[in-house]
Amino acid sequence: RDLDCTGRKKLLEHFRAKGWRPAPPKRARATTPVCGGQEGMIRALWTELNKAGKVRDPSDAALGSWLTRNRWPQRVEWLNSGQLERAIEALKKWLER
């Protein structure tokens, strides 16, 4: 813990030379616990899309990517009421297709 940045780099280089490999990053949780209201509805629809085979990744990160591609904020919690309604309708239509 007393190492500076240079010392940490040297230590990691030493470990790598001895065969150490960092663990692969952990996968994101599938979804955060479903809450009530419109936010919960969006997450539930996203889960249904995954079960229907229309979405490969049920994680919140993938949901955030979809929201961003549709020019909405990245997190469900950041959507205003109009955006929540439009997102729900878009997900329902996607599920029907």
Side-chain angles (χ1 to χ4, degrees):
R1 87 175 180 199
D2 294 333
L3 293 175
D4 61 354
C5 185
T6 306
R8 280 186 228 121
K9 286 181 182 179
K10 286 182 180 179
L11 182 63
L12 287 174
E13 288 172 9
H14 172 75
F15 286 153
R16 284 188 182 107
K18 298 294 182 183
W20 174 79
R21 298 285 174 243
K26 294 181 181 178
R27 290 194 56 150
R29 287 179 24 182
T31 56
T32 44
V34 175
C35 55
Q38 292 177 316
E39 294 174 12
M41 179 68 147
I42 288 174
R43 287 194 173 99
L45 286 168
W46 190 254
T47 302
E48 287 301 312
L49 282 164
N50 177 254
K51 289 178 184 175
K54 298 180 181 195
V55 171
R56 284 182 281 162
D57 185 0
S59 70
D60 278 345
L63 175 58
S65 294
W66 178 80
L67 289 169
T68 302
R69 281 193 306 275
N70 285 287
R71 298 192 176 153
W72 291 317
Q74 186 177 9
R75 308 263 319 195
V76 176
E77 299 84 24
W78 299 342
L79 298 173
N80 63 35
S81 60
Q83 292 169 331
L84 286 167
E85 290 175 16
R86 288 193 307 266
I88 288 170
E89 290 307 314
L91 290 170
K92 283 181 185 178
K93 287 179 184 177
W94 189 5
L95 192 55
E96 288 174 3
R97 285 186 253 142

